[in-house]
Amino acid sequence: MKRTLLALAFLPSLAIAQEWQVDPAKSSLTFTAEQAGDVFGGGFKRFTPAITFDATALDKTNIRVSIDLTSVEVEGSDRQAEISNTEWLDTKQFTSAEFSATSARKEGDHYIADGTLNLKGIKKPVSLNFSLSEANGTTTAKGTAQFNRRDFNVGAGSEWESDQWVAFPVHIQFTIVAKPKS
């Protein structure tokens, strides 16, 4: 009996994080930015999250999201015509971006996963801030992230060096709907 109780006492530290099956039809990855004082939005039609997560084993978290940059859609026909160009996402040379994190932490009622964003061949730290809700065996993660576009040469060239026309912050919003893999 004592051995059983001792084993149960250490169970949380031995927990194995759960691998998740993401529902791409119910998940989304969008962004907002500001041009000449007006906020505009966009998103990616194709992205592939691979998630291992358990709230009782946050140090075992593994989040990898591969983003198909060629699937970008942005508000405004002028922006859409320019977003794939060399100055912006340069999708001829960089067809994908990737975010990866290998741990998470809980702060109040939300979680933070500090990771690395690899965009246009440049790797920089980015943190995901997200909350979780569960219903009928399905978990929904909703969250945000932010980065400075200049850190990744998004808006390269002398015309875009300042934030006079396009602000530096890019705000990411995501919804991931998933169930535990069987």
Side-chain angles (χ1 to χ4, degrees), residues 37-51:
D38 292 327
V39 174
F40 67 92
F44 298 92
K45 293 187 289 185
R46 292 182 300 277
F47 62 100
T48 307
I51 301 168

Side-chain angles (χ1 to χ4, degrees), residues 18-23 26 51 135-140 176-182:
Q18 177 68 48
E19 198 172 339
W20 293 86
Q21 179 66 46
V22 175
D23 184 343
K26 294 180 182 175
I51 301 168
N136 302 321
T138 299
T139 298
T140 301
I176 303 294
V177 178
K179 290 185 177 187
K181 278 189 176 179
S182 346

Side-chain angles (χ1 to χ4, degrees), residues 11-20 51-63 102-104 180-181:
L11 197 58
S13 64
L14 299 174
I16 297 173
Q18 177 68 48
E19 198 172 339
W20 293 86
I51 301 168
T52 302
F53 181 86
D54 185 322
T56 65
L58 293 174
D59 62 325
K60 308 267 190 267
T61 297
N62 192 335
I63 301 170
T102 56
S103 68
K181 278 189 176 179

Side-chain angles (χ1 to χ4, degrees), residues 115-170:
T116 301
L117 177 61
N118 183 349
L119 176 60
K120 292 182 74 172
I122 300 168
K123 295 179 180 180
K124 296 280 184 176
V126 171
S127 296
L128 302 182
N129 185 333
F130 61 98
S131 61
L132 300 174
S133 61
E134 191 172 347
N136 302 321
T138 299
T139 298
T140 301
K142 290 187 176 206
T144 61
Q146 179 177 307
F147 66 86
N148 183 321
R149 68 176 176 82
R150 288 192 33 155
D151 289 346
F152 297 95
N153 290 332
V154 174
S158 60
E159 185 177 359
W160 310 111
E161 276 182 2
S162 81
D163 63 350
Q164 178 182 1
W165 299 109
V166 179
F168 295 144
V170 176

Side-chain angles (χ1 to χ4, degrees), residues 35-119:
Q35 181 180 14
D38 292 327
V39 174
F40 67 92
F44 298 92
K45 293 187 289 185
R46 292 182 300 277
F47 62 100
T48 307
I51 301 168
T52 302
F53 181 86
D54 185 322
T56 65
L58 293 174
D59 62 325
K60 308 267 190 267
T61 297
N62 192 335
I63 301 170
R64 298 216 183 282
V65 181
S66 179
I67 305 157
D68 180 347
L69 295 178
T70 67
S71 74
V72 67
E73 291 184 339
V74 65
E75 292 175 354
S77 58
D78 289 347
R79 287 186 201 103
Q80 187 65 44
E82 295 294 322
I83 193 76
S84 296
N85 288 344
T86 306
E87 294 84 9
W88 297 99
L89 292 181
D90 194 3
T91 61
K92 285 186 180 174
Q93 183 173 350
F94 302 102
T95 58
S96 66
E98 183 176 279
F99 174 83
S100 61
T102 56
S103 68
R105 67 184 185 280
K106 187 164 184 174
E107 290 192 4
D109 62 350
H110 66 278
Y111 298 88
I112 297 176
D114 296 316
T116 301
L117 177 61
N118 183 349
L119 176 60

